[in-house]
Amino acid sequence: MRVLLQRVMHASCTVDHQCNGQIEKGYLALVGITHEDNIDIIEKMALKVINLRVFSDADDKMNLSLKDIGGSVLSVSQFTLYADCRKGRRPGFEKSAKPDQAQPLYEAFNEALRHEGINVATGIFGADMKIELLNDGPVTIMLDSDEVIR
């Protein structure tokens, strides 16, 4: 599983010219699922997202977590996080889980965040989404379950 976190002042997702989800301060989380992922990995990654200390404290040090600041998450399914660009000019997506596997795990990730008290807005799985955000910092962090929890 890969989660690209962007610390944001606000973010929104639009599908077919209608706002589907929006948040204020927190994370835009681009979420990629691969074939090897399971519910255990999903839950551990959700806890990592919630408890990662990258928000500024009173001394302007990255010392506070999403939970500490009462932040929200705009979660967007993003199979392209597993793009393989080693050959040719067109990326391959063989490492990305197929929708029938990826969608339930993506939804489980969002539920794991909510279970911990986090407000979660989402895009629409598989839709053509337009994302707007105001990146804060900018702070952008890639979490890969192979490096973080395995």
Side-chain angles (χ1 to χ4, degrees):
M1 178 177 192
R2 291 181 179 160
V3 180
L4 182 68
L5 294 175
Q6 294 186 10
R7 190 176 77 179
V8 298
M9 298 301 295
H10 59 84
S12 64
C13 174
T14 302
V15 177
D16 294 330
H17 306 288
Q18 293 189 340
C19 183
N20 188 70
Q22 63 184 12
I23 64 162
E24 293 302 318
K25 190 173 182 99
Y27 289 131
L28 168 62
L30 303 177
V31 181
I33 307 292
T34 191
H35 309 289
E36 299 171 3
D37 292 334
N38 58 49
I39 196 67
D40 186 51
I41 290 169
I42 298 297
E43 290 173 352
K44 288 177 181 175
M45 289 290 280
L47 289 174
K48 181 60 103 172
V49 167
I50 292 166
N51 294 306
L52 192 65
R53 298 185 320 167
V54 298
F55 293 92
S56 298
D57 64 13
D59 296 322
D60 204 29
K61 301 288 182 195
M62 288 198 306
N63 200 30
L64 300 175
S65 70
L66 184 68
K67 202 166 206 175
D68 293 333
I69 66 155
S72 300
V73 173
L74 175 59
S75 175
V76 176
S77 177
Q78 188 71 38
F79 78 95
T80 61
L81 289 178
Y82 278 99
D84 182 350
C85 298
R86 292 178 292 179
K87 294 181 183 177
R89 296 180 293 175
R90 182 179 308 187
F93 299 102
E94 294 79 21
K95 292 183 181 179
S96 298
K98 300 289 183 211
D100 62 330
Q101 178 189 9
Q103 187 170 6
L105 291 174
Y106 166 71
E107 290 171 2
F109 174 74
N110 296 331
E111 285 307 311
L113 295 172
R114 289 182 183 114
H115 181 73
E116 295 294 322
I118 303 300
N119 175 50
V120 179
T122 65
I124 296 175
F125 188 92
D128 180 18
M129 297 174 271
K130 308 301 180 209
I131 308 298
E132 291 188 39
L133 67 138
L134 179 57
N135 201 316
D136 182 16
V139 174
T140 303
I141 296 174
M142 174 64 83
L143 298 175
D144 188 318
S145 61
D146 285 340
E147 299 167 0
V148 174
I149 60 171
R150 292 186 201 210

